[in-house]
Amino acid sequence: MRTETEHTIFLKDYTPSPYRIVSVDLDFKIGESETRVRALLTIEPQADTAPGTPLVLDGDGLVLDSIAIDGAPLVLSAYAADETGLTLIEPPLRRFVLETEVTLQPASNTRLMGLYRSGGTWCTQCEAEGFRRITYYLDRPDNLAVFKVRITAPLAVAPVLLSNGNLIEQGSAGDGLHFAVWEDPFPKPSYLFALVAGDLGSITDSFTTASGRKVDLAIYCSHGKEEQCLWAMDSLKRSMAWDERRFGREYDLDIFNIVAVSDFNFGAMENKGLNIFNDKLVFAQPDSATDADYDGIERVIAHEYFHNWTGNRITCRDWFQLCLKEGLTVYRDQEFTSDERSRPVKRISDVVTLRSAQFPEDGGPLAHPARPSQYSEINNFYTPTVYEKGAEIVRMLATLLGEAGFRKGMDLYFERHDGEATTIEAFLAVFAEANGVDLEQFQTWYLQAGTPRLSVSDSYDAAAQTYTLKLRQETLPTPGQPTKAALVLPIKFGLLGPNGSEMAWTGVSGGTVRDGMIVLDGAQAEIVFTGIPSKPVPSLLRGFSAPVTMDTTLSQADQLFLAQHDSDPFNRWQALQDVGTALAVAAITGTPWSDDAVNALSQAMGETLASESLDDAFKALALSLPAEAQISRAIGKDIDPDRVHAVRSELLKAVFAPLALPMLNAYLKLSSDAPYAPDAASTGRRALRNRLLGLLVGSEAAGATGLAAQQYAGARNMTDRLAALSASAMAWTGDAEAMLADFHANYAAANPLVLDKWLAVTASVPRDGVIERIRAVLDDPAFPKTNPNRLRSLVGSFVMGNPTQFARADGAGFRFVTGIVAELDRINPQVAARLLTGFRIWPMLEQGRRDAAKAALTGLEASGSLSRNTADILSRMLAS
Ligand code: B3K
Ligand code: ZN
C-alpha cells in the first residue's frame, strides 16, 4: 500500500513552536477561476529561541508566488518551499513581517478543506488542518493571533463578503469589484478562520445579552431558502440565553453570522463569529424536514454556539486534546436539549447513540482513548469516542462533583484559562482545585480505550437483614493497550422494596456509597447494606451514570418489575430493552424463548402503552426492541446478521402482534389535525404514533400495510410521510416499491435534502437487490459524487444501517463498499475514510463473513495509492 506520506505524530513529542505569529493580515482577491492570497504575518521568536533556528510553516499543496521579509524580497537560498510547507532557513531573531503570495483554485478543491466552492459560493473549512491549504502558516491550535481580512470579489457573483469578527470597512474596488475588511479582536488559532463570498440571501435578528449588549444575528443561505432558516435562528437565540443562565457565559462580539452551504464534510463548524453549516443542519420546514431534523438543527446550532467559550476562547493546545473542546461541548449541548425538552427522553436517545456508534468503536479495531497519544491523520479522530464518550466523561465528573461542584470547576476553568490553548490536565486540575478532590485516577477515563464491563450479582440474608451487592469491573485489551487499570465508576442506584418504593438502609460497608451512588474505584467491591427487611430489587446505573456495559443476574420478573416501578425513567426503559435483548440473544444462541417469557414482555409493553403517567416521547422509546446491532453486540462473536435479523423480526411479531388492537386504537387517537409544530409535546405525539405504525407493520397486524399507505398519502408533514415510507420499505410491503417511486418523483426530485431521505431509505432495505439499486443511483451521471450529504445518505446508510446486505455471506456488500471507497478516495479522502469505518464490525462476524471482509479490505490495500485518511483507517482495520 502506498500512502501520501507515512507519518505518526506523538503526544509525547509536543513542543512549543520556536516562533509565534502574533497578527495576520490577509488579502483575498477572488476571481472566477482563481483566488490570490497575500498574507502578512507578524512573527516573533520565543524568548529562548536560538539564533539560526529555522521557522517551518505548514503548507498543503501551495505554490509560492512571492516572498518577502519586512518588504524585502527573499533570495532563493533563504527559504525552501515544497508540498508540505515553507521553511525560512535563518529568520531574524526579532519581530518581523513575512509576506507571501499564493494562488488557489477553489473550484477544483473537491476535498472541501481550505477554500472551496459550494454551489457558486466561496467558503472555507480549516479545522483541523485546512488553513495550510490557504496560506503558509503555523497551522497548529496553540498559535493564537489576531486576524484582519480584506476580501475583494466581483460584485455580481459575490455581493456578500464575510469573515470573522467585525466588519470595519467596505466599498467599491472598481471594475465591477467590491471589497470588505473584517477584523477579529480575539486572538484565535488558524483552524477558526473563515471566509465566505457569494450571492446569498439572509434573515436577521438580534439578541441582547444579560449585560445589555445588542448582538446582530444573521443566517445566510441560497436565495429563496430564507424562510427555512427561522427555526435555526430561534434555536440560536435560545442557546445564547441558555449559556448565560446555566454557565454565566455571554457572547462577546457584536455580530454572530451563520452561513448554510450544500457541500460540507460534516455537520458544522464553529469559526469565531462566522459559523459555517451543512445546510441540512439549517433548513427546516414541515413539508421537507422531519422532527429528527428539527432536533438536529437545534442541537448543532447550540453546539457550535457553545464552542465560542469551550473551544474558541479556551482552545486546545494540540489536536490530542480535541475532546477538551468536543466532549465538553457535546455535554453542554446535551444539557441544553435536556433543559429545553425532556431530560429522560434526551438521556435515552443519547445512550442509544453512544451504544450504536461509540461502543462498537471502543470494542473494535479502531478503539482509541478519548485523548489519543498518537495519530497519523487527525481528521480520523473526530470520532464517537472523542465526542460522545468525551461527553460521558464530563457527565461523570458532574455526577461525582454534584451540580454546584461542577459549576465551581467550570467557573474556575473560564477564569483561569480564558484566552489560552490548554490541555485535559489543566481542565481536570480546576475541578480538583475548586472542589478539593483528587482526580488522578479519574483521568484514566481520558487515557484508556475500551468499554468497561461491569458485572453485578447480589444476595440477601434474611436472618441478618443484610443485602450484598458484588461489583466487578473489567476492561478488555484494545489495540496498543493490552492491560487496563480500574476506572472510577459512579453507579447511581436505588433499592426497590416489594411495593416498588425506595428502600432505606441503616448502614453500609465495603465501599463508597454517597449521594445516591456507589463509587467503584477498584476492580471489585462487595457492598453490604444493613437493615434491609426483605430482598430488594436493585436499580443500578440509573440515568446510565457511567458508560459501561453492565451484566446483571436479574431475572426477567425483576426486570419487568423495574420497568413498571422504578422511579428512574432511564432504567424503566433499560429494563424493557434488557428483557428483549436477553430473549433475542438466547434464541440466536440456541435457547428458544418460552411463551410465558414473551407474553410477560408483551404485557409489560401493553402496560407501558396504556400508562397515564408516561409521556408520549418516552413511550415511543420504550415500545421497541433493541436494534439488530445492539443484539449482535450482546452476543459479541461469530455473528450471522441474517439470523439476528430473522430472530429479531420473529420476536417483534411475538411481542407486538398480541397488542395489535390497543396499538391501533392508540394510533388512531394520536392522529391530529393541528398544524405542524416542533415543540416537545407535538414531537412526542408524532414519535409515538409513528412508532406504533412501525410496530403494526412490523408485526404484520391486519390492515397495517394499508394504514401505512394511507398515512403516506395523507401526511401533512415530512415526519409522518417519511415514517410511513420507511415502515413500508423496511418490511417491503406490497406498496413499498410504488411509494418509493412516488416519493422520488413528488418530493425528492426537487429538494436535495429530501432526496437524501429517499437515498437513505433505498439503501437501508434489508433485501437482495439493494446493491444493484445503489449502483444504479451512483452510475447516473447526474448523481453528484462530490457532495458528502448525498454520499453519506446513500453509501453511509448502507454501511452503517443495513447489516444483512453490507455483511452479506457472499461478500458482495464488502466488495461493493471497498470499490466505492477506492473511487471516492480520489475525490474526497475524509468522506472515503469515514465510509470505510463501517467495516469495524468485521472481527465480530462469523468465520465466512470475516474471511470475505478481510479479502475485500486486502483488495483495497492492494488497489494502489490511497490517501493518508483512508490508509490509516485501513491499516488499523487490518491490524486486528
Ligand atoms: N469542530 C467541528 C468539526 C471539525 C471536523 C474536522 N474534521 C464541528 C464541531 O464539532 O463542532
Ligand atoms: Zn464540536
Side-chain angles (χ1 to χ4, degrees):
M1 175 169 54
R2 256 198 55 232
T3 62
E4 281 174 351
T5 39
E6 302 278 354
H7 78 161
T8 303
I9 319 268
F10 295 93
L11 170 60
K12 64 176 169 47
D13 293 343
Y14 172 84
T15 44
S17 165
Y19 296 86
R20 54 188 212 108
I21 302 172
V22 291
S23 71
V24 185
D25 217 322
L26 293 171
D27 186 356
F28 287 82
K29 292 209 168 28
I30 295 180
E32 265 304 333
S33 60
E34 50 184 41
T35 293
R36 292 187 63 75
V37 185
R38 191 173 64 110
L40 295 176
L41 309 180
T42 303
I43 300 175
E44 288 176 357
Q46 305 284 15
D48 57 356
T49 299
T53 307
L55 165 58
V56 183
L57 298 175
D58 302 296
D60 178 0
L62 299 174
V63 180
L64 185 62
D65 294 335
S66 74
I67 180 165
I69 285 185
D70 294 332
L74 287 196
V75 294
L76 275 177
S77 59
Y79 66 93
D82 65 16
E83 272 290 294
T84 67
L86 168 66
T87 303
L88 300 186
I89 313 287
E90 202 169 331
L93 212 57
R94 53 165 171 81
R95 175 182 275 237
F96 66 96
V97 176
L98 173 70
E99 179 177 346
T100 61
E101 266 191 297
V102 296
T103 307
L104 312 176
Q105 270 80 36
S108 53
N109 179 359
T110 59
R111 294 183 165 219
L112 312 185
M113 288 297 281
L115 178 68
Y116 65 94
R117 282 190 91 168
S118 174
T121 300
W122 285 266
C123 61
T124 54
Q125 171 55 37
C126 292
E127 190 178 0
E129 296 176 337
F131 193 69
R132 64 186 64 184
R133 291 166 61 80
I134 295 174
T135 195
Y136 294 103
Y137 201 76
L138 287 173
D139 195 13
R140 44 190 286 166
D142 61 352
N143 190 105
L144 308 186
V146 289
F147 281 65
K148 187 168 164 188
V149 180
R150 183 185 183 91
I151 313 166
T152 308
L155 179 63
V157 286
V160 173
L161 304 176
L162 306 171
S163 190
N164 316 84
N166 300 313
L167 178 64
I168 55 168
E169 205 188 332
Q170 61 181 330
S172 165
D175 275 348
L177 302 175
H178 73 140
F179 77 94
V181 181
W182 290 81
E183 199 168 54
D184 181 359
F186 290 92
K188 64 168 178 288
S190 49
Y191 81 87
L192 291 173
F193 166 80
L195 173 152
V196 172
D199 186 3
L200 300 167
S202 64
I203 61 166
T204 57
D205 206 326
S206 71
F207 179 84
T208 304
T209 67
S211 63
R213 234 167 15 81
K214 183 168 166 268
V215 183
D216 290 324
L217 312 175
I219 302 183
Y220 291 86
C221 59
S222 41
H223 289 290
K225 298 280 171 66
E226 293 85 349
E227 287 282 299
Q228 297 191 40
C229 301
L230 293 169
W231 173 248
M233 183 65 90
D234 182 65
S235 304
L236 174 61
K237 290 198 291 181
R238 284 184 286 116
S239 307
M240 296 177 89
W242 182 87
D243 213 11
E244 293 184 351
R245 274 200 313 275
R246 181 77 190 268
F247 284 103
R249 297 295 115 196
E250 276 190 28
Y251 185 62
D252 48 14
L253 288 162
D254 299 333
I255 302 181
F256 189 83
N257 285 325
I258 291 176
V259 180
V261 299
S262 305
D263 302 272
F264 205 69
N265 276 345
F266 31 86
M269 180 62 214
E270 69 265 24
N271 316 299
K272 181 82 187 185
L274 178 55
N275 287 188
I276 299 182
F277 268 65
N278 186 325
D279 61 8
K280 84 179 167 106
L281 287 162
V282 175
F283 295 156
Q285 61 185 8
D287 63 359
S288 56
T290 61
D291 288 337
D293 295 323
Y294 276 79
D295 175 73
I297 292 166
E298 181 180 84
R299 180 167 52 79
V300 179
I301 291 273
H303 178 96
E304 305 311 332
Y305 174 73
F306 297 153
H307 267 315
N308 191 53
W309 275 95
T310 50
N312 300 5
R313 288 184 67 131
I314 306 182
T315 192
C316 303
R317 187 193 71 174
D318 51 69
W319 291 121
F320 297 101
Q321 321 295 330
L322 182 57
C323 89
L324 176 70
K325 75 179 178 79
E326 295 305 347
L328 176 56
T329 305
V330 171
Y331 171 76
R332 275 153 52 71
D333 83 54
Q334 290 176 346
E335 284 297 290
F336 166 72
T337 306
S338 304
D339 286 349
E340 293 281 302
R341 293 170 175 262
S342 153
R343 182 165 285 273
V345 166
K346 174 63 177 162
R347 187 64 189 138
I348 294 167
S349 325
D350 287 341
V351 173
V352 169
T353 306
L354 184 79
R355 286 183 178 145
S356 67
Q358 200 274 328
F359 280 17
E361 180 169 88
D362 228 358
L366 301 180
H368 58 273
R371 188 182 68 185
S373 55
Q374 66 181 77
Y375 63 76
S376 92
E377 170 52 61
I378 187 57
N379 284 307
N380 287 340
F381 281 82
Y382 288 75
T383 58
T385 296
V386 166
Y387 278 67
E388 271 73 35
K389 186 173 180 176
E392 291 300 319
I393 299 175
V394 176
R395 184 169 298 281
M396 285 188 286
L397 196 56
T399 302
L400 288 163
L401 300 177
E403 200 177 324
F406 182 73
R407 176 66 197 266
K408 266 199 282 176
M410 285 299 290
D411 287 348
L412 186 58
Y413 180 59
F414 293 126
E415 188 189 314
R416 181 159 302 163
H417 296 292
D418 188 15
E420 288 182 5
T422 193
T423 59
I424 291 293
E425 281 81 358
F427 176 69
L428 288 177
V430 292
F431 288 93
E433 182 179 326
N435 290 278
V437 294
D438 181 348
L439 293 172
E440 182 73 28
Q441 190 193 355
F442 184 81
Q443 192 184 337
T444 309
W445 272 109
Y446 282 106
L447 311 180
Q448 186 167 287
T451 307
R453 278 206 102 84
L454 173 64
S455 318
V456 186
S457 61
D458 67 347
S459 57
Y460 179 64
D461 182 337
Q465 305 231 316
T466 57
Y467 175 68
T468 305
L469 275 174
K470 277 193 194 164
L471 307 160
R472 222 172 73 78
Q473 61 164 309
E474 185 193 18
T475 307
L476 295 177
T478 54
Q481 283 190 332
T483 58
K484 303 286 181 179
L487 294 155
V488 181
L489 307 184
I491 305 167
K492 288 193 164 188
F493 79 110
L495 304 179
L496 270 65
N499 61 359
S501 61
E502 304 281 319
M503 260 187 177
W505 48 88
T506 53
V508 59
S509 62
T512 309
V513 177
R514 61 169 175 91
D515 308 316
M517 65 183 146
I518 298 166
V519 183
L520 178 67
D521 55 12
Q524 50 201 9
E526 202 168 311
I527 305 200
V528 183
F529 299 87
T530 49
I532 305 288
S534 62
K535 184 174 195 304
V537 177
S539 167
L540 298 168
L541 211 62
R542 283 180 162 170
F544 201 62
S545 56
V548 301
T549 304
M550 186 167 66
D551 305 319
T552 72
T553 49
L554 283 192
S555 65
Q556 191 198 46
D558 284 348
Q559 297 276 24
L560 293 178
F561 178 81
L562 287 178
Q564 201 179 11
H565 295 293
D566 202 338
S567 59
D568 180 53
F570 180 88
N571 270 3
R572 290 181 75 157
W573 169 83
Q574 183 64 60
L576 290 173
Q577 290 286 302
D578 285 345
V579 171
T581 306
L583 293 174
V585 169
I588 291 163
T589 52
T591 316
W593 51 71
S594 70
D595 287 350
D596 285 353
V598 167
N599 290 343
L601 178 57
S602 185
Q603 198 187 332
M605 290 290 183
E607 280 160 17
T608 302
L609 177 61
S611 162
E612 304 262 318
S613 59
L614 299 171
D615 64 34
D616 292 341
F618 178 86
K619 288 183 187 179
L621 292 167
L623 293 171
S624 71
L625 292 182
E628 287 166 34
Q630 178 67 21
I631 295 168
S632 298
R633 233 179 41 77
I635 298 170
K637 58 177 189 348
D638 296 326
I639 301 300
D640 169 355
D642 289 326
R643 178 139 179 79
V644 174
H645 179 77
V647 168
R648 184 183 181 279
S649 304
E650 277 314 303
L651 183 60
L652 189 108
K653 274 179 228 163
V655 172
F656 291 101
L659 300 174
L661 201 58
M663 290 201 302
L664 179 63
N665 285 336
Y667 172 88
L668 295 172
K669 243 175 83 187
L670 287 162
S671 305
S672 157
D673 285 335
Y676 178 91
D679 62 89
S682 316
T683 303
R685 192 182 174 94
R686 282 187 293 274
L688 178 55
R689 184 164 171 268
N690 288 324
R691 167 71 72 193
L692 293 170
L693 181 70
L695 292 172
L696 287 163
V697 174
S699 60
E700 296 174 2
T705 59
L707 198 64
Q710 207 181 330
Q711 173 168 323
Y712 174 82
R716 293 165 55 197
N717 57 66
M718 182 50 76
T719 307
D720 293 341
R721 178 160 287 118
L722 183 64
L725 173 70
S726 173
S728 306
M730 291 311 123
W732 205 251
T733 67
D735 302 313
E737 185 87 65
M739 238 185 245
L740 270 171
D742 180 84
F743 190 84
H744 189 274
N746 291 314
Y747 305 96
N751 183 337
L753 296 179
V754 180
L755 176 63
D756 286 345
K757 301 181 193 314
W758 181 87
L759 294 169
V761 174
T762 299
S764 306
V765 173
R767 281 172 58 87
D768 288 354
V770 67
I771 293 177
E772 291 70 20
R773 281 174 193 257
I774 299 173
R775 177 47 69 207
V777 174
L778 280 172
D779 286 347
D780 181 343
F783 186 81
K785 286 193 186 149
T786 50
N787 182 281
N789 287 4
R790 298 306 91 74
L791 291 166
R792 278 190 293 254
S793 300
L794 186 66
V795 188
S797 303
F798 177 72
V799 177
M800 299 291 184
N802 197 343
T804 58
Q805 289 296 315
F806 170 55
R808 283 172 65 99
D810 62 7
F814 298 135
R815 288 191 297 277
F816 177 57
V817 173
T818 50
I820 294 171
V821 167
E823 183 187 347
L824 293 180
D825 196 44
R826 290 189 282 274
I827 301 172
N828 188 331
Q830 281 194 58
V831 170
R834 184 55 63 100
L835 293 175
L836 191 61
T837 63
F839 272 90
R840 66 191 180 192
I841 56 159
W842 82 269
M844 213 173 71
L845 299 169
E846 52 80 21
Q847 183 73 51
R849 286 172 169 87
R850 257 193 334 256
D851 293 344
K854 188 162 189 174
L857 291 169
T858 318
L860 178 61
E861 193 178 31
S863 72
S865 166
L866 293 171
S867 69
R868 190 159 78 214
N869 307 60
T870 298
D872 169 43
I873 299 288
L874 185 55
S875 67
R876 285 191 277 147
M877 199 73 83
L878 277 169
S880 58

